[in-house]
Amino acid sequence: MPELPEVETVRQTLKLRILNQTIEEVGVRASRLIQPLSAQEFATILVGQILRDIDRRGKYLIFKLSQNDLVVHLRMEGRFFIKPKSADIDKHEHVIFYFTNNTTLRFHDVRKFGTFEIMPKGQGTHAKGIRKLGPEPGDPSLTADYLKAKLQSSLRPVKSLLLDQTIIAGLGNIYVDEVLYEARIHPTRPGKTLQESDFDNLCKISQRIITEAVRLGGTTIRSYVSSLGVTGRFQNQLKVHTLVGEPCQTCQTPIVKIRVGGRGTYLCPTCQK
DNA sequence: CGCAGTACCTGTAAGC
DNA sequence: TGCTTACAGGTACTGC
C-alpha cells in the first residue's frame, strides 16, 4: 500500500493511538522481516522500551524508542493494526508488539516483504535504505535545477527516474503516473529529452499532488480490508492510474496501460508526449 | 558506474 | 471446475 502519502497517514494515525506506550513483549512469527537479528535478539532489545515518537523519511517509518530507533518499511503490502491483546492472531500478522496497557500493534504483510531494522538511538536516518534517499516533494532542495542535474543526461525512462528513491523520495507507482499525466510527459521519454519547463513542472506538480494526497489520507486501491489509517480518499482524485479505458478528463481519449521498467503504467496517449 | 533483469512472497483475477 | 499465468502501492541484488 505505501507511497509517501500512505506512510504519512499511517504515521499520523499511529501517533494518535500508541504514543508513550511501553513494550512488554514482542512476538515475531516470520523472522525474515527482522533479519539479520533472531526473534529472540529483536525482542530482547525492544522489550521495556517506550515509544516516544514516530517520524517518517520517504516511505520509511522511524519509531523513536527510549533506547533505539526502529526503522520500518512497509514495502508492497505491509500494514499496521492496533488490536486488543485478546484478539485472535491473523495468519499474516508477522510481528506483534504487546504494550503494557493490553493493546497490541500488529504488522500485517501477506507477502512478507516488509523490513524492520533496529538502529542506535537517534540514528534512524542512517539506516541502509534511508541514507541514500533524495529530497521529498516539497523539500526546498527539490528544485528544477536539481532535477535537471539528475535527469538531463539519462537515457532511462522518466518514469523510472521519478521512481528512483535516490533522486526523489516518496513517489511510487501511483503518484508517478499522476505526476506525469499532470505534467503532460510521456512516461517512456528518456530523461535527456526533457526541457527546462518540464523540470520546473515536475517539482511543482509532485509537491501539489503529494500534499493533496496526504490531506486526503492517501490512496486506497485493491485493499478491500481497510487497515489502520490507510482507507484514503485520494483514489477519487486519480486521473490515470487504474483507469485504463476511461476517457481522459482533458481530451476524452481512452487511458491506456503500458509497461515501463516492469511496472504497470497508465497514461493518456494524446495529452502525454 | 549505469542499467536491465531477477529475486523476494503470497493471493487474486483472468485466460484456457 | 481446474490449472496456469500475469500481476500487485517496493526495493535489493546480480551480472553485463
Tab-separated table of all heavy atoms in Angstrom, chain A residues 199-260:
chain	number	residue	atom	x	y	z
A	199	PHE	N	11.268	20.261	-15.952
A	199	PHE	CA	11.873	20.106	-14.622
A	199	PHE	C	11.116	20.950	-13.601
A	199	PHE	O	10.819	20.506	-12.493
A	199	PHE	CB	13.359	20.490	-14.660
A	199	PHE	CG	14.162	19.658	-15.611
A	199	PHE	CD1	14.873	20.243	-16.650
A	199	PHE	CD2	14.183	18.275	-15.481
A	199	PHE	CE1	15.612	19.472	-17.533
A	199	PHE	CE2	14.922	17.493	-16.369
A	199	PHE	CZ	15.638	18.095	-17.396
A	200	ASP	N	10.803	22.148	-13.978
A	200	ASP	CA	10.065	23.035	-13.091
A	200	ASP	C	8.663	22.478	-12.804
A	200	ASP	O	8.203	22.438	-11.659
A	200	ASP	CB	9.975	24.418	-13.748
A	200	ASP	CG	9.535	25.479	-12.751
A	200	ASP	OD1	10.073	25.480	-11.624
A	200	ASP	OD2	8.648	26.281	-13.096
A	201	ASN	N	8.007	22.019	-13.852
A	201	ASN	CA	6.675	21.439	-13.674
A	201	ASN	C	6.698	20.224	-12.764
A	201	ASN	O	5.821	20.058	-11.910
A	201	ASN	CB	6.095	21.022	-15.032
A	201	ASN	CG	5.558	22.204	-15.810
A	201	ASN	OD1	5.237	23.230	-15.227
A	201	ASN	ND2	5.469	22.053	-17.115
A	202	LEU	N	7.689	19.365	-12.958
A	202	LEU	CA	7.747	18.139	-12.152
A	202	LEU	C	7.912	18.469	-10.663
A	202	LEU	O	7.293	17.825	-9.813
A	202	LEU	CB	8.889	17.234	-12.645
A	202	LEU	CG	8.611	16.553	-13.987
A	202	LEU	CD1	9.861	15.841	-14.505
A	202	LEU	CD2	7.455	15.556	-13.872
A	203	CYS	N	8.706	19.475	-10.356
A	203	CYS	CA	8.850	19.903	-8.943
A	203	CYS	C	7.513	20.364	-8.392
A	203	CYS	O	7.073	19.931	-7.311
A	203	CYS	CB	9.846	21.059	-8.825
A	203	CYS	SG	11.532	20.579	-9.117
A	204	LYS	N	6.878	21.270	-9.118
A	204	LYS	CA	5.653	21.878	-8.601
A	204	LYS	C	4.509	20.872	-8.535
A	204	LYS	O	3.741	20.839	-7.571
A	204	LYS	CB	5.257	23.068	-9.479
A	204	LYS	CG	6.218	24.238	-9.330
A	204	LYS	CD	5.905	25.357	-10.300
A	204	LYS	CE	6.819	26.560	-10.023
A	204	LYS	NZ	6.925	27.468	-11.167
A	205	ILE	N	4.383	20.068	-9.583
A	205	ILE	CA	3.258	19.132	-9.639
A	205	ILE	C	3.426	18.009	-8.614
A	205	ILE	O	2.453	17.615	-7.958
A	205	ILE	CB	3.112	18.563	-11.066
A	205	ILE	CG1	2.653	19.683	-12.004
A	205	ILE	CG2	2.143	17.394	-11.099
A	205	ILE	CD1	2.800	19.348	-13.474
A	206	SER	N	4.651	17.521	-8.455
A	206	SER	CA	4.840	16.454	-7.461
A	206	SER	C	4.508	16.987	-6.073
A	206	SER	O	3.860	16.304	-5.275
A	206	SER	CB	6.258	15.885	-7.513
A	206	SER	OG	7.223	16.862	-7.186
A	207	GLN	N	4.904	18.205	-5.784
A	207	GLN	CA	4.580	18.784	-4.475
A	207	GLN	C	3.067	18.918	-4.303
A	207	GLN	O	2.511	18.564	-3.270
A	207	GLN	CB	5.242	20.152	-4.315
A	207	GLN	CG	4.798	20.812	-3.014
A	207	GLN	CD	5.522	22.110	-2.730
A	207	GLN	OE1	6.355	22.565	-3.513
A	207	GLN	NE2	5.219	22.710	-1.591
A	208	ARG	N	2.414	19.413	-5.347
A	208	ARG	CA	0.965	19.637	-5.240
A	208	ARG	C	0.218	18.320	-5.035
A	208	ARG	O	-0.669	18.207	-4.187
A	208	ARG	CB	0.457	20.348	-6.504
A	208	ARG	CG	-0.946	20.901	-6.351
A	208	ARG	CD	-1.419	21.601	-7.618
A	208	ARG	NE	-1.850	20.642	-8.609
A	208	ARG	CZ	-1.442	20.624	-9.869
A	208	ARG	NH1	-0.574	21.511	-10.297
A	208	ARG	NH2	-1.884	19.712	-10.706
A	209	ILE	N	0.573	17.313	-5.820
A	209	ILE	CA	-0.145	16.036	-5.745
A	209	ILE	C	0.121	15.329	-4.421
A	209	ILE	O	-0.808	14.815	-3.777
A	209	ILE	CB	0.231	15.134	-6.943
A	209	ILE	CG1	-0.420	15.707	-8.212
A	209	ILE	CG2	-0.182	13.687	-6.699
A	209	ILE	CD1	-0.119	14.934	-9.481
A	210	ILE	N	1.356	15.323	-3.974
A	210	ILE	CA	1.671	14.645	-2.711
A	210	ILE	C	0.998	15.362	-1.537
A	210	ILE	O	0.437	14.722	-0.635
A	210	ILE	CB	3.202	14.554	-2.512
A	210	ILE	CG1	3.801	13.584	-3.530
A	210	ILE	CG2	3.541	14.121	-1.086
A	210	ILE	CD1	3.291	12.161	-3.457
A	211	THR	N	1.011	16.675	-1.563
A	211	THR	CA	0.361	17.431	-0.486
A	211	THR	C	-1.132	17.130	-0.426
A	211	THR	O	-1.706	16.894	0.645
A	211	THR	CB	0.571	18.949	-0.697
A	211	THR	OG1	1.975	19.220	-0.683
A	211	THR	CG2	-0.111	19.759	0.401
A	212	GLU	N	-1.756	17.114	-1.585
A	212	GLU	CA	-3.188	16.840	-1.638
A	212	GLU	C	-3.488	15.397	-1.215
A	212	GLU	O	-4.469	15.137	-0.509
A	212	GLU	CB	-3.700	17.093	-3.068
A	212	GLU	CG	-5.181	16.852	-3.264
A	212	GLU	CD	-6.086	17.837	-2.515
A	212	GLU	OE1	-5.562	18.690	-1.772
A	212	GLU	OE2	-7.320	17.724	-2.677
A	213	ALA	N	-2.635	14.468	-1.636
A	213	ALA	CA	-2.852	13.065	-1.267
A	213	ALA	C	-2.702	12.875	0.243
A	213	ALA	O	-3.455	12.118	0.857
A	213	ALA	CB	-1.884	12.156	-2.028
A	214	VAL	N	-1.738	13.553	0.853
A	214	VAL	CA	-1.586	13.472	2.312
A	214	VAL	C	-2.836	14.030	2.983
A	214	VAL	O	-3.374	13.447	3.927
A	214	VAL	CB	-0.323	14.235	2.777
A	214	VAL	CG1	-0.321	14.407	4.300
A	214	VAL	CG2	0.950	13.513	2.328
A	215	ARG	N	-3.311	15.145	2.460
A	215	ARG	CA	-4.501	15.767	3.046
A	215	ARG	C	-5.696	14.815	3.011
A	215	ARG	O	-6.526	14.793	3.918
A	215	ARG	CB	-4.841	17.061	2.282
A	215	ARG	CG	-5.894	17.927	2.962
A	215	ARG	CD	-6.164	19.203	2.176
A	215	ARG	NE	-6.912	18.989	0.959
A	215	ARG	CZ	-8.223	18.775	0.900
A	215	ARG	NH1	-8.929	18.753	2.005
A	215	ARG	NH2	-8.822	18.566	-0.263
A	216	LEU	N	-5.780	14.020	1.950
A	216	LEU	CA	-6.911	13.104	1.798
A	216	LEU	C	-6.631	11.716	2.386
A	216	LEU	O	-7.394	10.772	2.177
A	216	LEU	CB	-7.278	12.977	0.316
A	216	LEU	CG	-7.842	14.267	-0.301
A	216	LEU	CD1	-8.126	14.085	-1.783
A	216	LEU	CD2	-9.116	14.690	0.427
A	217	GLY	N	-5.541	11.583	3.090
A	217	GLY	CA	-5.269	10.306	3.761
A	217	GLY	C	-4.740	9.226	2.842
A	217	GLY	O	-4.841	8.035	3.155
A	218	GLY	N	-4.182	9.610	1.701
A	218	GLY	CA	-3.584	8.638	0.790
A	218	GLY	C	-4.594	8.009	-0.154
A	218	GLY	O	-5.742	8.457	-0.264
A	219	THR	N	-4.144	6.982	-0.847
A	219	THR	CA	-4.942	6.308	-1.873
A	219	THR	C	-5.175	4.869	-1.461
A	219	THR	O	-4.249	4.181	-1.060
A	219	THR	CB	-4.179	6.323	-3.219
A	219	THR	OG1	-3.940	7.670	-3.608
A	219	THR	CG2	-4.963	5.602	-4.307
A	220	THR	N	-6.397	4.427	-1.532
A	220	THR	CA	-6.710	3.025	-1.246
A	220	THR	C	-7.248	2.370	-2.509
A	220	THR	O	-8.339	2.691	-2.961
A	220	THR	CB	-7.775	2.901	-0.136
A	220	THR	OG1	-7.333	3.627	1.012
A	220	THR	CG2	-7.985	1.450	0.243
A	221	ILE	N	-6.442	1.501	-3.086
A	221	ILE	CA	-6.911	0.709	-4.227
A	221	ILE	C	-6.592	-0.743	-3.932
A	221	ILE	O	-5.644	-1.031	-3.227
A	221	ILE	CB	-6.243	1.130	-5.565
A	221	ILE	CG1	-4.727	1.051	-5.455
A	221	ILE	CG2	-6.679	2.531	-5.967
A	221	ILE	CD1	-4.011	1.339	-6.759
A	222	ARG	N	-7.409	-1.637	-4.445
A	222	ARG	CA	-7.135	-3.068	-4.287
A	222	ARG	C	-7.095	-3.512	-2.837
A	222	ARG	O	-6.703	-4.623	-2.552
A	222	ARG	CB	-5.793	-3.423	-4.937
A	222	ARG	CG	-5.907	-4.035	-6.299
A	222	ARG	CD	-4.565	-4.509	-6.763
A	222	ARG	NE	-3.529	-3.533	-6.565
A	222	ARG	CZ	-3.296	-2.527	-7.387
A	222	ARG	NH1	-3.994	-2.396	-8.470
A	222	ARG	NH2	-2.335	-1.682	-7.141
A	223	SER	N	-7.404	-2.657	-1.875
A	223	SER	CA	-7.357	-3.038	-0.465
A	223	SER	C	-8.763	-3.102	0.062
A	223	SER	O	-9.252	-2.114	0.572
A	223	SER	CB	-6.625	-1.995	0.356
A	223	SER	OG	-5.299	-2.148	0.327
A	224	TYR	N	-9.381	-4.224	-0.068
A	224	TYR	CA	-10.768	-4.286	0.396
A	224	TYR	C	-10.823	-4.330	1.910
A	224	TYR	O	-11.754	-3.871	2.503
A	224	TYR	CB	-11.503	-5.474	-0.208
A	224	TYR	CG	-10.609	-6.633	-0.506
A	224	TYR	CD1	-10.409	-7.621	0.428
A	224	TYR	CD2	-9.939	-6.710	-1.737
A	224	TYR	CE1	-9.571	-8.662	0.164
A	224	TYR	CE2	-9.094	-7.753	-2.000
A	224	TYR	CZ	-8.915	-8.725	-1.056
A	224	TYR	OH	-8.072	-9.762	-1.314
A	225	VAL	N	-9.785	-4.888	2.553
A	225	VAL	CA	-9.731	-4.840	4.006
A	225	VAL	C	-9.168	-3.488	4.403
A	225	VAL	O	-8.038	-3.186	4.108
A	225	VAL	CB	-8.830	-5.946	4.576
A	225	VAL	CG1	-8.814	-5.888	6.096
A	225	VAL	CG2	-9.273	-7.299	4.079
A	226	SER	N	-9.974	-2.695	5.058
A	226	SER	CA	-9.457	-1.394	5.449
A	226	SER	C	-8.478	-1.596	6.585
A	226	SER	O	-8.744	-2.283	7.543
A	226	SER	CB	-10.588	-0.485	5.892
A	226	SER	OG	-10.841	-0.646	7.251
A	227	SER	N	-7.312	-1.008	6.451
A	227	SER	CA	-6.320	-1.153	7.503
A	227	SER	C	-6.143	0.177	8.182
A	227	SER	O	-6.546	1.210	7.677
A	227	SER	CB	-4.999	-1.642	6.940
A	227	SER	OG	-4.384	-0.624	6.209
A	228	LEU	N	-5.511	0.115	9.304
A	228	LEU	CA	-5.355	1.297	10.140
A	228	LEU	C	-4.828	2.497	9.362
A	228	LEU	O	-3.733	2.492	8.848
A	228	LEU	CB	-4.377	0.962	11.259
A	228	LEU	CG	-4.101	2.089	12.217
A	228	LEU	CD1	-5.341	2.412	13.013
A	228	LEU	CD2	-2.971	1.697	13.120
A	229	GLY	N	-5.625	3.515	9.290
A	229	GLY	CA	-5.137	4.775	8.743
A	229	GLY	C	-4.935	4.819	7.250
A	229	GLY	O	-4.473	5.816	6.733
A	230	VAL	N	-5.237	3.775	6.545
A	230	VAL	CA	-4.952	3.819	5.120
A	230	VAL	C	-6.186	3.578	4.269
A	230	VAL	O	-6.107	3.073	3.173
A	230	VAL	CB	-3.838	2.841	4.703
A	230	VAL	CG1	-2.510	3.382	5.136
A	230	VAL	CG2	-4.088	1.464	5.261
A	231	THR	N	-7.343	3.916	4.794
A	231	THR	CA	-8.506	3.948	3.922
A	231	THR	C	-8.610	5.384	3.426
A	231	THR	O	-9.395	6.173	3.911
A	231	THR	CB	-9.770	3.534	4.683
A	231	THR	OG1	-9.477	2.323	5.366
A	231	THR	CG2	-10.923	3.277	3.730
A	232	GLY	N	-7.752	5.669	2.441
A	232	GLY	CA	-7.628	7.048	1.980
A	232	GLY	C	-8.761	7.440	1.060
A	232	GLY	O	-9.666	6.656	0.761
A	233	ARG	N	-8.705	8.677	0.615
A	233	ARG	CA	-9.730	9.182	-0.295
A	233	ARG	C	-9.141	9.709	-1.597
A	233	ARG	O	-9.871	10.224	-2.434
A	233	ARG	CB	-10.505	10.307	0.403
A	233	ARG	CG	-11.497	9.818	1.439
A	233	ARG	CD	-11.847	10.915	2.427
A	233	ARG	NE	-10.737	11.165	3.329
A	233	ARG	CZ	-10.373	12.390	3.757
A	233	ARG	NH1	-11.042	13.439	3.380
A	233	ARG	NH2	-9.339	12.526	4.557
A	234	PHE	N	-7.808	9.612	-1.773
A	234	PHE	CA	-7.226	10.183	-2.990
A	234	PHE	C	-7.568	9.352	-4.231
A	234	PHE	O	-7.466	9.856	-5.351
A	234	PHE	CB	-5.698	10.334	-2.861
A	234	PHE	CG	-5.087	11.188	-3.940
A	234	PHE	CD1	-5.140	12.576	-3.864
A	234	PHE	CD2	-4.471	10.613	-5.056
A	234	PHE	CE1	-4.593	13.378	-4.867
A	234	PHE	CE2	-3.929	11.406	-6.058
A	234	PHE	CZ	-3.986	12.787	-5.961
A	235	GLN	N	-7.998	8.107	-4.044
A	235	GLN	CA	-8.359	7.306	-5.230
A	235	GLN	C	-9.422	8.002	-6.069
A	235	GLN	O	-9.508	7.797	-7.274
A	235	GLN	CB	-8.810	5.896	-4.852
A	235	GLN	CG	-9.997	5.805	-3.924
A	235	GLN	CD	-9.600	5.883	-2.468
A	235	GLN	OE1	-8.517	6.336	-2.134
A	235	GLN	NE2	-10.485	5.439	-1.588
A	236	ASN	N	-10.233	8.834	-5.430
A	236	ASN	CA	-11.258	9.583	-6.169
A	236	ASN	C	-10.664	10.717	-6.998
A	236	ASN	O	-11.358	11.299	-7.835
A	236	ASN	CB	-12.296	10.159	-5.193
A	236	ASN	CG	-12.891	9.069	-4.304
A	236	ASN	OD1	-12.867	9.164	-3.088
A	236	ASN	ND2	-13.406	8.017	-4.926
A	237	GLN	N	-9.394	11.048	-6.729
A	237	GLN	CA	-8.746	12.141	-7.461
A	237	GLN	C	-7.878	11.634	-8.604
A	237	GLN	O	-7.316	12.427	-9.341
A	237	GLN	CB	-7.857	12.966	-6.517
A	237	GLN	CG	-8.518	13.406	-5.242
A	237	GLN	CD	-9.719	14.287	-5.504
A	237	GLN	OE1	-10.811	14.018	-5.022
A	237	GLN	NE2	-9.514	15.316	-6.303
A	238	LEU	N	-7.717	10.310	-8.685
A	238	LEU	CA	-6.807	9.773	-9.702
A	238	LEU	C	-7.298	10.148	-11.092
A	238	LEU	O	-8.497	10.090	-11.390
A	238	LEU	CB	-6.705	8.249	-9.573
A	238	LEU	CG	-6.079	7.734	-8.272
A	238	LEU	CD1	-6.133	6.208	-8.222
A	238	LEU	CD2	-4.642	8.221	-8.126
A	239	LYS	N	-6.356	10.509	-11.959
A	239	LYS	CA	-6.690	10.897	-13.332
A	239	LYS	C	-6.356	9.793	-14.332
A	239	LYS	O	-6.963	9.725	-15.396
A	239	LYS	CB	-5.930	12.174	-13.711
A	239	LYS	CG	-6.196	13.375	-12.802
A	239	LYS	CD	-7.576	13.954	-13.036
A	239	LYS	CE	-7.848	15.152	-12.133
A	239	LYS	NZ	-6.866	16.221	-12.244
A	240	VAL	N	-5.356	8.980	-14.011
A	240	VAL	CA	-4.977	7.915	-14.940
A	240	VAL	C	-4.776	6.549	-14.275
A	240	VAL	O	-5.200	5.527	-14.832
A	240	VAL	CB	-3.697	8.269	-15.748
A	240	VAL	CG1	-4.001	9.307	-16.818
A	240	VAL	CG2	-2.552	8.727	-14.854
A	241	HIS	N	-4.142	6.537	-13.111
A	241	HIS	CA	-3.767	5.249	-12.533
A	241	HIS	C	-5.008	4.397	-12.243
A	241	HIS	O	-5.937	4.861	-11.589
A	241	HIS	CB	-2.939	5.433	-11.264
A	241	HIS	CG	-2.211	4.185	-10.857
A	241	HIS	ND1	-0.989	3.838	-11.371
A	241	HIS	CD2	-2.568	3.183	-10.038
A	241	HIS	CE1	-0.618	2.680	-10.858
A	241	HIS	NE2	-1.561	2.249	-10.048
A	242	THR	N	-4.983	3.180	-12.721
A	242	THR	CA	-6.064	2.180	-12.666
A	242	THR	C	-7.205	2.459	-13.638
A	242	THR	O	-8.149	1.684	-13.716
A	242	THR	CB	-6.725	2.035	-11.263
A	242	THR	OG1	-7.527	3.205	-11.001
A	242	THR	CG2	-5.699	1.865	-10.162
A	243	LEU	N	-7.129	3.545	-14.416
A	243	LEU	CA	-8.303	3.965	-15.192
A	243	LEU	C	-8.245	3.576	-16.672
A	243	LEU	O	-8.817	4.281	-17.515
A	243	LEU	CB	-8.490	5.484	-15.047
A	243	LEU	CG	-8.751	5.932	-13.599
A	243	LEU	CD1	-8.778	7.449	-13.500
A	243	LEU	CD2	-10.051	5.348	-13.069
A	244	VAL	N	-7.573	2.474	-16.970
A	244	VAL	CA	-7.470	2.046	-18.362
A	244	VAL	C	-8.853	1.961	-19.012
A	244	VAL	O	-9.801	1.427	-18.435
A	244	VAL	CB	-6.721	0.695	-18.460
A	244	VAL	CG1	-7.443	-0.402	-17.701
A	244	VAL	CG2	-6.500	0.292	-19.902
A	245	GLY	N	-8.964	2.549	-20.203
A	245	GLY	CA	-10.223	2.523	-20.948
A	245	GLY	C	-11.141	3.694	-20.656
A	245	GLY	O	-12.034	4.005	-21.452
A	246	GLU	N	-10.937	4.356	-19.529
A	246	GLU	CA	-11.774	5.523	-19.190
A	246	GLU	C	-11.330	6.725	-20.024
A	246	GLU	O	-10.167	6.836	-20.395
A	246	GLU	CB	-11.615	5.867	-17.700
A	246	GLU	CG	-12.064	4.782	-16.744
A	246	GLU	CD	-13.569	4.566	-16.793
A	246	GLU	OE1	-14.307	5.571	-16.797
A	246	GLU	OE2	-13.995	3.397	-16.867
A	247	PRO	N	-12.240	7.634	-20.321
A	247	PRO	CA	-11.859	8.807	-21.121
A	247	PRO	C	-10.975	9.763	-20.320
A	247	PRO	O	-11.253	10.032	-19.154
A	247	PRO	CB	-13.195	9.468	-21.460
A	247	PRO	CG	-14.138	8.993	-20.409
A	247	PRO	CD	-13.682	7.620	-20.027
A	248	CYS	N	-9.947	10.268	-20.970
A	248	CYS	CA	-9.101	11.298	-20.365
A	248	CYS	C	-9.971	12.505	-20.022
A	248	CYS	O	-10.803	12.917	-20.825
A	248	CYS	CB	-8.002	11.707	-21.345
A	248	CYS	SG	-7.120	13.204	-20.863
A	249	GLN	N	-9.781	13.074	-18.841
A	249	GLN	CA	-10.609	14.203	-18.415
A	249	GLN	C	-10.358	15.448	-19.239
A	249	GLN	O	-11.179	16.365	-19.243
A	249	GLN	CB	-10.370	14.493	-16.927
A	249	GLN	CG	-10.891	13.388	-16.034
A	249	GLN	CD	-10.705	13.708	-14.558
A	249	GLN	OE1	-10.500	14.853	-14.178
A	249	GLN	NE2	-10.792	12.670	-13.731
A	250	THR	N	-9.243	15.474	-19.946
A	250	THR	CA	-8.923	16.647	-20.762
A	250	THR	C	-9.390	16.488	-22.201
A	250	THR	O	-9.979	17.402	-22.774
A	250	THR	CB	-7.399	16.895	-20.762
A	250	THR	OG1	-6.965	17.062	-19.416
A	250	THR	CG2	-7.047	18.126	-21.585
A	251	CYS	N	-9.124	15.303	-22.805
A	251	CYS	CA	-9.348	15.166	-24.252
A	251	CYS	C	-10.246	13.996	-24.628
A	251	CYS	O	-10.461	13.755	-25.814
A	251	CYS	CB	-7.998	15.046	-24.969
A	251	CYS	SG	-7.233	13.429	-24.735
A	252	GLN	N	-10.712	13.242	-23.664
A	252	GLN	CA	-11.632	12.113	-23.889
A	252	GLN	C	-10.974	10.880	-24.498
A	252	GLN	O	-11.641	9.854	-24.687
A	252	GLN	CB	-12.844	12.528	-24.779
A	252	GLN	CG	-13.493	13.837	-24.402
A	252	GLN	CD	-13.898	13.885	-22.940
A	252	GLN	OE1	-13.519	14.803	-22.223
A	252	GLN	NE2	-14.619	12.879	-22.489
A	253	THR	N	-9.707	10.966	-24.861
A	253	THR	CA	-9.022	9.778	-25.368
A	253	THR	C	-8.985	8.711	-24.275
A	253	THR	O	-8.705	9.032	-23.124
A	253	THR	CB	-7.569	10.121	-25.762
A	253	THR	OG1	-7.578	11.171	-26.718
A	253	THR	CG2	-6.852	8.909	-26.341
A	254	PRO	N	-9.280	7.455	-24.611
A	254	PRO	CA	-9.220	6.414	-23.574
A	254	PRO	C	-7.810	6.271	-22.983
A	254	PRO	O	-6.823	6.276	-23.726
A	254	PRO	CB	-9.626	5.141	-24.321
A	254	PRO	CG	-10.415	5.626	-25.503
A	254	PRO	CD	-9.793	6.940	-25.888
A	255	ILE	N	-7.750	6.165	-21.659
A	255	ILE	CA	-6.480	5.942	-20.966
A	255	ILE	C	-5.970	4.557	-21.338
A	255	ILE	O	-6.744	3.603	-21.429
A	255	ILE	CB	-6.688	6.025	-19.442
A	255	ILE	CG1	-7.239	7.406	-19.051
A	255	ILE	CG2	-5.402	5.709	-18.684
A	255	ILE	CD1	-6.395	8.566	-19.489
A	256	VAL	N	-4.663	4.459	-21.566
A	256	VAL	CA	-4.072	3.169	-21.906
A	256	VAL	C	-3.116	2.728	-20.799
A	256	VAL	O	-2.671	3.531	-19.983
A	256	VAL	CB	-3.309	3.222	-23.249
A	256	VAL	CG1	-4.247	3.616	-24.377
A	256	VAL	CG2	-2.113	4.165	-23.164
A	257	LYS	N	-2.850	1.423	-20.801
A	257	LYS	CA	-1.900	0.854	-19.846
A	257	LYS	C	-0.750	0.231	-20.609
A	257	LYS	O	-0.976	-0.549	-21.536
A	257	LYS	CB	-2.584	-0.203	-18.976
A	257	LYS	CG	-1.655	-0.806	-17.927
A	257	LYS	CD	-2.365	-1.861	-17.092
A	257	LYS	CE	-1.421	-2.398	-16.021
A	257	LYS	NZ	-2.046	-3.490	-15.243
A	258	ILE	N	0.463	0.601	-20.219
A	258	ILE	CA	1.657	0.003	-20.819
A	258	ILE	C	2.564	-0.466	-19.684
A	258	ILE	O	2.196	-0.383	-18.517
A	258	ILE	CB	2.410	1.015	-21.725
A	258	ILE	CG1	2.918	2.196	-20.905
A	258	ILE	CG2	1.510	1.485	-22.862
A	258	ILE	CD1	3.800	3.154	-21.690
A	259	ARG	N	3.732	-0.973	-20.041
A	259	ARG	CA	4.683	-1.422	-19.034
A	259	ARG	C	5.971	-0.606	-19.192
A	259	ARG	O	6.497	-0.485	-20.301
A	259	ARG	CB	4.971	-2.909	-19.285
A	259	ARG	CG	5.340	-3.672	-18.084
A	259	ARG	CD	4.815	-5.111	-18.175
A	259	ARG	NE	3.629	-5.228	-17.336
A	259	ARG	CZ	3.692	-5.289	-16.004
A	259	ARG	NH1	4.866	-5.262	-15.384
A	259	ARG	NH2	2.604	-5.380	-15.294
A	260	VAL	N	6.406	-0.017	-18.127
A	260	VAL	CA	7.638	0.777	-18.157
A	260	VAL	C	8.519	0.314	-17.006
A	260	VAL	O	8.094	0.353	-15.852
A	260	VAL	CB	7.341	2.288	-18.002
A	260	VAL	CG1	8.643	3.096	-18.022
A	260	VAL	CG2	6.398	2.769	-19.098
